[in-house]
Amino acid sequence: MRGLIEYELSGWDLAEVRFALSPINELTLSLRTFREPGRYPVHLPWLRETQDARTRLDVAMLRALSNDDLSTPDFLTPRPAGPLTRIEDELRLVAKVPDGRMRDDLRALHPARMPPALRGPADEVRARMLRALTAYWETCFAPWWPRMRTVLQADIVHRGQVMANEGVAAMFGGLGERISMEGDVVRIRLNTPLRSRRQTRGRGLTLVPTLFTRRGASVPIAEDEPPMIMYGARGAATLWEAEPRRSPKVLADLLGATRAGLLVALAAPASSTELAGRLGVTPPAVNQHLRAMRDAGLLTSARHGRSVLYLRSELGDALVGEASAAGGTNEG
C-alpha cells in the first residue's frame, strides 16, 4: 500500500506557505547519485565532470548517508530559513543536532545494519560526517552552485507567478504529479507505506525546489519535523546545457541569432549569468540584448534576491510559436 502525507492548512497558514532554498538539502539529496548515478541522467555531465574528485572523497561515509531506497536522514535536510540560506550556516546547524536525534535518524535509515562509517562515538561520527560533507561541497558543488541556484530561484519566481495568477491550488497541482490540494489539505503520495496527517498551524509550510528528485516530492518522515515539501524544480533538464539553442531560422533572421537563441531559451525564467553560460555569450552582451528585448515587450523581468530573472512575455511566446510554425532552424 502506498503512503500518504497530508498537511492540513487553516486560517493564516494559507498565507504562511513560503518558498526557500537549501544548499545542504541539495548536497544531501545528491548523495543518491553515489549509489545510483544511472537514475539521474540529467546530471550525467556533472557526474562525469566531478568523477575524479569524487574518488578522493570519503566515499564510504557519503554512501552511508543514503540507503538502497535512496532515502536520506531528516537531520541533513532541515527546513531552510529562506531563499538566501548559506551552506556554512546549515553545516553549523548540523553540528548542533543532538546526539540522540542524529542516532535515531541514522537507525531509521539503516534499521537492519549500521554501515561501518556510522559506527562509533557520536562525536567522532559527526566530525567525520561534517568533514566528508564539507569536502564534497567544496570540490563537487561550490564551482557549480551559482548555476544550480539560478535554476532554483527561477523556479520560485515561476511558482509565485502561478499562485498570483491562478491561485494556490493550481500552484500546488503544478509541483508534481504526486502533489495535490483539496480544500485546505495538501496531499503528497509516497512509495513507502507511511501515512500521516499533520497540522501546519503556527508553523506554516515551506516549499523547497530541488534538482535531485526523480519522483516529484520528498517530505520529512518524523511527524515532529517542521512541515516541508521538497519538489522537483523546473528547468533541471537545461542545467548542464552548454551548447547554443536551436531557434527557428525566420526568428534568427528577424532578431539576430543571439537574441533568437535567448528568446527560445527563456521559456523558463533564467538570469543573465545563467544565459551567458548556456549560450556562450559574455554577460555584458547578454544584458544588453535582454534589456532591448524587454523594452520591446518580448520579455518580462523580476528581481529575486540579488538576481534579475527574465521570462518570455505573451508576445514573446506568440513570436516563438509563429516562427516555429514557419519551419527551419538556425543555431542560436
Side-chain angles (χ1 to χ4, degrees):
M1 179 178 65
R2 288 189 174 184
L4 179 70
I5 298 290
E6 295 179 313
Y7 285 129
E8 185 176 335
L9 304 174
S10 59
W12 285 107
D13 279 332
L14 287 172
E16 292 177 6
V17 174
R18 64 187 183 95
F19 290 87
L21 297 183
S22 172
I24 200 168
N25 282 6
E26 293 302 278
L27 191 70
T28 299
L29 295 181
S30 75
L31 294 173
R32 300 162 169 175
T33 64
F34 278 78
R35 289 179 173 270
E36 296 282 352
R39 293 195 183 188
Y40 300 89
V42 165
H43 298 299
L44 287 178
W46 172 68
L47 291 172
R48 284 193 293 269
E49 190 73 19
T50 58
Q51 186 172 4
D52 289 342
R54 286 168 172 247
T55 63
R56 296 190 292 272
L57 298 172
D58 188 346
V59 176
M61 171 57 77
L62 295 174
R63 280 181 57 88
L65 295 176
S66 67
N67 61 19
D68 291 339
D69 295 328
L70 302 185
S71 297
T72 56
D74 279 350
F75 74 91
L76 285 181
T77 52
R79 182 166 72 166
L84 302 177
T85 310
R86 301 189 311 164
I87 185 66
E88 296 85 356
D89 298 331
E90 292 187 308
L91 287 172
R92 278 195 287 270
L93 290 177
V94 171
K96 297 177 182 178
V97 171
D99 291 350
R101 158 82 189 285
M102 184 183 75
R103 285 298 191 195
D104 288 346
D105 282 4
L106 293 176
R107 277 193 291 267
L109 187 69
H110 300 289
R113 182 174 180 272
M114 192 71 73
L118 299 178
R119 300 174 193 168
D123 57 340
E124 294 180 10
V125 171
R126 185 195 309 274
R128 179 179 175 182
M129 181 189 311
L130 287 170
R131 286 195 301 270
L133 289 171
T134 300
Y136 179 38
W137 173 268
E138 291 174 349
T139 58
C140 297
F141 258 76
W144 291 273
W145 178 243
R147 191 170 190 170
M148 295 179 177
R149 184 179 56 209
T150 295
V151 174
L152 297 170
Q153 289 174 334
D155 179 273
I156 290 177
V157 170
H158 170 75
R159 305 299 176 183
Q161 291 173 339
V162 172
M163 189 157 51
N165 295 332
E166 303 176 36
V168 66
M171 183 275 294
F172 275 110
L175 295 182
E177 62 182 15
R178 294 176 178 266
I179 304 172
S180 62
M181 183 178 189
E182 297 180 21
D184 290 345
V185 178
V186 180
R187 294 184 169 89
I188 307 98
R189 299 191 302 278
L190 307 175
N191 283 331
T192 64
L194 176 68
R195 299 182 74 86
S196 175
R197 188 180 182 100
R198 307 173 186 180
Q199 294 277 345
T200 64
R201 188 185 306 277
R203 298 191 292 175
L205 174 60
T206 301
L207 305 179
V208 184
T210 176
L211 300 166
F212 292 95
T213 183
R214 296 181 308 109
R215 299 187 178 276
S218 298
V219 295
I221 298 301
E223 293 198 23
D224 58 349
E225 285 292 300
M228 179 174 67
I229 301 174
M230 291 173 283
Y231 65 91
R234 297 170 76 249
T238 68
L239 181 60
W240 308 115
E241 286 183 353
E243 71 279 1
R245 302 292 293 266
R246 288 186 176 273
S247 57
K249 184 177 185 300
V250 65
L251 195 61
D253 290 343
L254 176 65
L255 299 176
T258 298
R259 291 185 183 181
L262 287 168
L263 196 60
V264 170
L266 284 168
S271 71
S272 59
T273 303
E274 170 68 7
L275 291 164
R278 283 162 54 182
L279 273 72
V281 182
T282 65
V286 165
N287 278 317
Q288 183 179 359
H289 290 307
L290 291 173
R291 285 194 295 267
M293 294 167 70
R294 182 186 59 192
D295 292 344
L298 298 177
L299 303 177
T300 61
S301 63
R303 180 166 292 280
H304 186 78
R306 289 174 289 181
S307 299
V308 175
L309 302 176
Y310 293 85
L311 177 68
R312 277 201 315 248
S313 65
E314 291 186 12
L315 177 60
D317 284 338
L319 186 59
V320 171
E322 291 293 333
S324 297
T329 60
N330 191 74
E331 292 290 345

